[in-house]
Amino acid sequence: MLASVIALALGHTVTIAAVGDVMLARWVGRRIERQGPAAMLRGARSALAGADVVYGNLECALTSARASARKDIVLHADPLGLLALKGFSVLSLVNNHALDCGQEGLADAVRRLRGAGIQPLEPAGLPETVNREGLRISFVGLMDLTGSHLPPEWRKTVAKARRSCDVLVVGIHWGTE
């Protein structure tokens, strides 16, 4: 999905490319091992290349920490996959797999993303902001794993974030597996 945000007062256009789940585990991880990280988004690179900001949901634990979640589906990706994420500006970790390797794994993923120049949107509910062409663009992640309603504080979270930016993008991860 591509969206252009026009700041009339500034006379600039900022293009935001947003994708859904980006998963680097399982068969995707095996493909990265065989063909290298560049193979992962080869088909999407041209669509994302012209955007000023690229946003997605990182649907796996990207860490060297051990998987610790006790559930049917655990998505644990090798940190080598980080190289496949080149070009992303913001990646949401507000999802049901961010903690598949526990708090240690989440903290490791946050460090790795920041080290690669990608702003991680963390489960704590705080917005991440990027500045492009004089615009403050904030991202907020919300999660609803019941598929029936968002957390009760979602309106306050969004309202607070909206006051501190020019453009607000809200990503919602929902549903049951």
Side-chain angles (χ1 to χ4, degrees):
M1 171 186 166
L2 288 177
S4 292
V5 178
I6 302 171
L8 297 175
L10 299 173
H12 301 286
T13 300
V14 175
T15 302
I16 300 171
V19 302
D21 292 348
V22 178
M23 209 270 283
L24 304 175
R26 295 181 164 184
W27 65 268
V28 177
R30 290 190 290 279
R31 182 174 180 196
I32 291 170
E33 287 174 8
R34 284 191 318 272
Q35 298 177 7
M40 215 276 291
L41 291 173
R42 187 174 292 133
R45 289 272 176 225
S46 62
L48 302 176
D52 299 299
V53 179
V54 180
Y55 169 80
N57 174 61
L58 185 59
E59 185 73 1
C60 58
L62 182 66
T63 177
S64 58
R66 301 188 107 174
S68 59
R70 299 202 189 291
K71 57 186 191 178
D72 290 339
I73 300 173
V74 174
L75 300 179
H76 179 205
D78 187 304
L80 173 66
L82 181 65
L83 298 173
L85 300 173
K86 184 177 190 241
F88 277 91
S89 311
V90 179
L91 281 168
S92 178
L93 301 176
V94 184
N95 61 61
N96 53 316
H97 292 289
L99 289 170
D100 282 2
C101 295
Q103 287 293 336
E104 176 189 348
L106 176 62
D108 186 30
V110 166
R111 278 191 304 276
R112 289 175 188 279
L113 290 171
R114 285 200 173 122
I118 300 169
Q119 290 186 245
L121 186 55
E122 296 181 59
L126 300 174
E128 281 295 324
T129 303
V130 297
N131 293 295
R132 299 290 190 276
E133 298 292 334
L135 283 176
R136 293 167 304 160
I137 306 166
S138 290
F139 295 81
V140 168
L142 299 172
M143 184 167 49
D144 170 16
L145 296 182
T146 65
S148 61
H149 63 280
L150 289 170
E153 70 282 355
W154 77 268
R155 290 182 205 281
K156 289 179 185 175
T157 300
V158 170
K160 184 177 179 184
R162 182 65 188 104
R163 289 191 297 268
S164 63
C165 64
D166 301 307
V167 176
L168 178 62
V169 177
V170 178
I172 304 174
H173 191 78
W174 76 87
T176 56
E177 288 192 299

